[in-house]
């Protein structure tokens, strides 16, 4: 597990968004992977984004009109595994942040609880990076029907605004936590479908749910 951030660490949504965008562009031109030189907090964020990157393209593959039932089933299993990894890494980001905060005696006891953790916001920022990249692709798509580029330019404007708003909200939340004004908890996803002990279709085949 990556180490928690150093005591001088400062969470920056702008830096996270830039990291997401750099990885998204690079992974469309090379085998998607996290470089061995990436460590600590940055590695956790990058691995979480990689899970979303793989999920995005697997979801596209599953919707290929010519895909066979076997290919769809195989892709669905990959999607389940990748989604579990995505959720685990989202939680890991929160664990690392809380470890860092605990060294500062934070979050402050009695501070107002924020219902969405930074890790969950990072997950949303990751997905927005992918949406922005693929929307730009659609704007420049050769042979697209009339009006396609214009519709996607409007879509791009909306997505960019949404990411700016979300990034600002993350920075504001983090500063409020550092100031002792707000707190957050680690919210476990507790997914059931991937747990053979909790999914009746697995532990009791043929019985349904």
């Amino acid at each position: 597990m990556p180490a928690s951030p150093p005591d001088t660490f400062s969470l920056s949504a702008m830096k996270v968004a830039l990291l997401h965008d750099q990885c998204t562009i690079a992974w469309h031109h090379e085998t998607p992977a996290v470089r061995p030189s990436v460590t600590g907090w940055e590695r956790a964020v990058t691995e979480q984004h990689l899970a979303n990157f793989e999920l995005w393209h697997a979801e596209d593959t599953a919707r290929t009109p010519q895909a066979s039932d076997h290919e769809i089933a195989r892709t669905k299993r990959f999607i389940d595994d990748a989604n579990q990894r995505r959720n685990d890494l989202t939680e890991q980001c929160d664990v690392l942040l809380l470890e860092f905060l605990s060294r500062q005696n934070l979050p402050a006891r009695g501070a107002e609880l924020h219902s969405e953790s930074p890790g969950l916001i990072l997950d949303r920022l990751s997905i927005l990076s992918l949406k922005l990249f693929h929307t730009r692709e659609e704007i420049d798509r050769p042979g697209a029907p009339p009006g396609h580029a214009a519709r996607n330019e409007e879509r791009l404007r909306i997505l960019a605004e949404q990411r700016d708003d979300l990034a600002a909200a993350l920075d504001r939340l983090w500063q409020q936590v550092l100031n002792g004004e707000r707190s957050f908890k680690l919210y476990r996803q507790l997914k059931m479908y991937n747990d053979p002990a909790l999914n009746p279709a697995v532990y009791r085949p043929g019985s349904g749910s």
Side-chain angles (χ1 to χ4, degrees):
M1 177 176 176
S4 59
D7 291 343
T8 56
F9 167 79
S10 177
L11 176 58
S12 166
M14 181 181 295
K15 289 181 179 179
V16 169
L18 179 60
L19 174 63
H20 285 160
D21 287 349
Q22 289 173 338
C23 290
T24 299
I25 293 170
W27 292 339
H28 279 92
H29 296 92
E30 61 189 41
T31 301
V34 181
R35 300 188 311 275
S37 59
V38 178
T39 60
W41 160 254
E42 184 179 347
R43 185 170 193 85
V45 173
T46 308
E47 287 181 344
Q48 199 278 339
H49 186 52
L50 178 58
N52 274 321
F53 181 94
E54 292 176 342
L55 269 171
W56 179 286
H57 294 91
E59 292 281 6
D60 281 353
T61 299
R63 289 165 175 78
T64 303
Q66 298 80 17
S68 67
D69 290 346
H70 174 72
E71 290 169 332
I72 293 173
R74 182 179 60 192
T75 303
K76 171 59 178 170
R77 291 186 183 279
F78 176 85
I79 289 171
D80 284 350
D81 290 343
N83 197 43
Q84 184 66 59
R85 181 158 41 90
R86 166 202 176 190
N87 287 313
D88 290 345
L89 288 163
T90 298
E91 292 177 6
Q92 182 175 312
C93 287
D94 280 330
V95 167
L96 295 176
L97 290 176
L98 286 167
E99 287 179 352
F100 163 78
L101 290 169
S102 69
R103 301 198 297 269
Q104 328 296 324
N105 295 316
L106 293 169
R109 183 174 299 180
E112 184 177 358
L113 179 66
H114 195 78
S115 62
E116 186 176 37
S117 71
L120 293 172
I121 299 175
L122 290 169
D123 180 58
R124 292 170 61 194
L125 287 171
S126 167
I127 294 168
L128 279 165
S129 174
L130 293 164
K131 287 182 177 180
L132 286 162
F133 177 89
H134 288 283
T135 300
R136 292 188 185 98
E137 277 194 329
E138 289 302 315
I139 292 172
D140 299 328
R141 190 177 111 195
H148 185 79
R151 286 193 297 273
N152 278 281
E153 285 171 355
E154 175 61 11
R155 176 186 173 92
L156 185 69
R157 183 193 66 77
I158 294 171
L159 289 169
E161 180 180 348
Q162 289 177 347
R163 183 165 73 165
D164 287 346
D165 290 346
L166 188 59
L170 176 57
D171 283 340
R172 185 164 56 252
L173 169 62
W174 185 247
Q175 190 58 53
Q176 289 173 331
V177 172
L178 293 179
N179 291 343
E181 300 165 359
R182 292 183 77 82
S183 66
F184 68 91
K185 293 180 179 179
L186 172 64
Y187 286 109
R188 298 290 185 186
Q189 297 298 307
L190 300 177
K191 299 291 185 180
M192 300 179 73
Y193 60 84
N194 271 342
D195 189 334
L198 298 175
N199 186 338
V202 178
Y203 67 73
R204 201 166 57 234
S207 66
S209 57

PDB file of all heavy atoms in Angstrom, residues 66-77:
ATOM      1  N   GLN A  66     -21.315  -5.972 -32.801  1.00  0.00           N
ATOM      2  CA  GLN A  66     -20.940  -7.290 -33.307  1.00  0.00           C
ATOM      3  C   GLN A  66     -20.413  -8.220 -32.215  1.00  0.00           C
ATOM      4  O   GLN A  66     -20.043  -9.370 -32.505  1.00  0.00           O
ATOM      5  CB  GLN A  66     -19.868  -7.152 -34.403  1.00  0.00           C
ATOM      6  CG  GLN A  66     -20.322  -6.376 -35.643  1.00  0.00           C
ATOM      7  CD  GLN A  66     -20.276  -4.875 -35.451  1.00  0.00           C
ATOM      8  OE1 GLN A  66     -19.624  -4.375 -34.536  1.00  0.00           O
ATOM      9  NE2 GLN A  66     -20.989  -4.134 -36.306  1.00  0.00           N
ATOM     10  N   ALA A  67     -20.370  -7.771 -30.982  1.00  0.00           N
ATOM     11  CA  ALA A  67     -19.803  -8.598 -29.914  1.00  0.00           C
ATOM     12  C   ALA A  67     -20.638  -9.843 -29.684  1.00  0.00           C
ATOM     13  O   ALA A  67     -21.880  -9.794 -29.667  1.00  0.00           O
ATOM     14  CB  ALA A  67     -19.717  -7.788 -28.622  1.00  0.00           C
ATOM     15  N   SER A  68     -19.965 -10.970 -29.517  1.00  0.00           N
ATOM     16  CA  SER A  68     -20.664 -12.229 -29.247  1.00  0.00           C
ATOM     17  C   SER A  68     -21.069 -12.290 -27.781  1.00  0.00           C
ATOM     18  O   SER A  68     -20.571 -11.526 -26.949  1.00  0.00           O
ATOM     19  CB  SER A  68     -19.753 -13.413 -29.579  1.00  0.00           C
ATOM     20  OG  SER A  68     -18.645 -13.448 -28.680  1.00  0.00           O
ATOM     21  N   ASP A  69     -21.955 -13.225 -27.467  1.00  0.00           N
ATOM     22  CA  ASP A  69     -22.369 -13.397 -26.073  1.00  0.00           C
ATOM     23  C   ASP A  69     -21.168 -13.733 -25.194  1.00  0.00           C
ATOM     24  O   ASP A  69     -21.071 -13.264 -24.054  1.00  0.00           O
ATOM     25  CB  ASP A  69     -23.421 -14.508 -25.967  1.00  0.00           C
ATOM     26  CG  ASP A  69     -24.750 -14.109 -26.583  1.00  0.00           C
ATOM     27  OD1 ASP A  69     -24.951 -12.906 -26.848  1.00  0.00           O
ATOM     28  OD2 ASP A  69     -25.591 -15.005 -26.813  1.00  0.00           O
ATOM     29  N   HIS A  70     -20.245 -14.550 -25.727  1.00  0.00           N
ATOM     30  CA  HIS A  70     -19.051 -14.919 -24.967  1.00  0.00           C
ATOM     31  C   HIS A  70     -18.193 -13.691 -24.684  1.00  0.00           C
ATOM     32  O   HIS A  70     -17.699 -13.512 -23.557  1.00  0.00           O
ATOM     33  CB  HIS A  70     -18.240 -15.955 -25.741  1.00  0.00           C
ATOM     34  CG  HIS A  70     -16.919 -16.279 -25.103  1.00  0.00           C
ATOM     35  ND1 HIS A  70     -16.802 -17.020 -23.951  1.00  0.00           N
ATOM     36  CD2 HIS A  70     -15.638 -15.929 -25.465  1.00  0.00           C
ATOM     37  CE1 HIS A  70     -15.524 -17.127 -23.619  1.00  0.00           C
ATOM     38  NE2 HIS A  70     -14.800 -16.471 -24.520  1.00  0.00           N
ATOM     39  N   GLU A  71     -18.021 -12.830 -25.699  1.00  0.00           N
ATOM     40  CA  GLU A  71     -17.203 -11.632 -25.521  1.00  0.00           C
ATOM     41  C   GLU A  71     -17.848 -10.679 -24.514  1.00  0.00           C
ATOM     42  O   GLU A  71     -17.152 -10.080 -23.683  1.00  0.00           O
ATOM     43  CB  GLU A  71     -17.018 -10.928 -26.867  1.00  0.00           C
ATOM     44  CG  GLU A  71     -16.120 -11.687 -27.832  1.00  0.00           C
ATOM     45  CD  GLU A  71     -16.157 -11.113 -29.234  1.00  0.00           C
ATOM     46  OE1 GLU A  71     -17.184 -10.523 -29.612  1.00  0.00           O
ATOM     47  OE2 GLU A  71     -15.150 -11.272 -29.956  1.00  0.00           O
ATOM     48  N   ILE A  72     -19.156 -10.553 -24.575  1.00  0.00           N
ATOM     49  CA  ILE A  72     -19.856  -9.672 -23.640  1.00  0.00           C
ATOM     50  C   ILE A  72     -19.727 -10.197 -22.210  1.00  0.00           C
ATOM     51  O   ILE A  72     -19.472  -9.430 -21.272  1.00  0.00           O
ATOM     52  CB  ILE A  72     -21.335  -9.527 -24.038  1.00  0.00           C
ATOM     53  CG1 ILE A  72     -21.447  -8.767 -25.357  1.00  0.00           C
ATOM     54  CG2 ILE A  72     -22.128  -8.819 -22.938  1.00  0.00           C
ATOM     55  CD1 ILE A  72     -22.845  -8.725 -25.924  1.00  0.00           C
ATOM     56  N   ALA A  73     -19.882 -11.521 -22.050  1.00  0.00           N
ATOM     57  CA  ALA A  73     -19.762 -12.113 -20.710  1.00  0.00           C
ATOM     58  C   ALA A  73     -18.354 -11.931 -20.156  1.00  0.00           C
ATOM     59  O   ALA A  73     -18.177 -11.597 -18.973  1.00  0.00           O
ATOM     60  CB  ALA A  73     -20.130 -13.590 -20.764  1.00  0.00           C
ATOM     61  N   ARG A  74     -17.342 -12.140 -21.013  1.00  0.00           N
ATOM     62  CA  ARG A  74     -15.958 -11.973 -20.572  1.00  0.00           C
ATOM     63  C   ARG A  74     -15.674 -10.521 -20.195  1.00  0.00           C
ATOM     64  O   ARG A  74     -15.034 -10.240 -19.167  1.00  0.00           O
ATOM     65  CB  ARG A  74     -15.015 -12.407 -21.690  1.00  0.00           C
ATOM     66  CG  ARG A  74     -13.529 -12.317 -21.328  1.00  0.00           C
ATOM     67  CD  ARG A  74     -12.678 -12.792 -22.488  1.00  0.00           C
ATOM     68  NE  ARG A  74     -12.919 -11.976 -23.678  1.00  0.00           N
ATOM     69  CZ  ARG A  74     -12.495 -12.294 -24.887  1.00  0.00           C
ATOM     70  NH1 ARG A  74     -11.842 -13.427 -25.086  1.00  0.00           N
ATOM     71  NH2 ARG A  74     -12.752 -11.494 -25.912  1.00  0.00           N
ATOM     72  N   THR A  75     -16.206  -9.589 -20.986  1.00  0.00           N
ATOM     73  CA  THR A  75     -16.008  -8.170 -20.697  1.00  0.00           C
ATOM     74  C   THR A  75     -16.730  -7.773 -19.416  1.00  0.00           C
ATOM     75  O   THR A  75     -16.217  -6.977 -18.616  1.00  0.00           O
ATOM     76  CB  THR A  75     -16.510  -7.306 -21.873  1.00  0.00           C
ATOM     77  OG1 THR A  75     -15.831  -7.697 -23.073  1.00  0.00           O
ATOM     78  CG2 THR A  75     -16.258  -5.834 -21.615  1.00  0.00           C
ATOM     79  N   LYS A  76     -17.916  -8.333 -19.197  1.00  0.00           N
ATOM     80  CA  LYS A  76     -18.670  -8.033 -17.988  1.00  0.00           C
ATOM     81  C   LYS A  76     -17.892  -8.472 -16.751  1.00  0.00           C
ATOM     82  O   LYS A  76     -17.867  -7.749 -15.730  1.00  0.00           O
ATOM     83  CB  LYS A  76     -20.026  -8.730 -18.031  1.00  0.00           C
ATOM     84  CG  LYS A  76     -20.826  -8.668 -16.732  1.00  0.00           C
ATOM     85  CD  LYS A  76     -21.129  -7.245 -16.290  1.00  0.00           C
ATOM     86  CE  LYS A  76     -21.967  -7.244 -15.015  1.00  0.00           C
ATOM     87  NZ  LYS A  76     -22.075  -5.886 -14.423  1.00  0.00           N
ATOM     88  N   ARG A  77     -17.249  -9.616 -16.806  1.00  0.00           N
ATOM     89  CA  ARG A  77     -16.442 -10.067 -15.665  1.00  0.00           C
ATOM     90  C   ARG A  77     -15.260  -9.129 -15.427  1.00  0.00           C
ATOM     91  O   ARG A  77     -14.913  -8.832 -14.284  1.00  0.00           O
ATOM     92  CB  ARG A  77     -15.953 -11.499 -15.890  1.00  0.00           C
ATOM     93  CG  ARG A  77     -17.075 -12.531 -15.849  1.00  0.00           C
ATOM     94  CD  ARG A  77     -16.536 -13.946 -15.923  1.00  0.00           C
ATOM     95  NE  ARG A  77     -17.612 -14.923 -15.956  1.00  0.00           N
ATOM     96  CZ  ARG A  77     -18.262 -15.357 -14.890  1.00  0.00           C
ATOM     97  NH1 ARG A  77     -17.923 -14.920 -13.691  1.00  0.00           N
ATOM     98  NH2 ARG A  77     -19.241 -16.241 -14.999  1.00  0.00           N
TER      99      ARG A  77
END
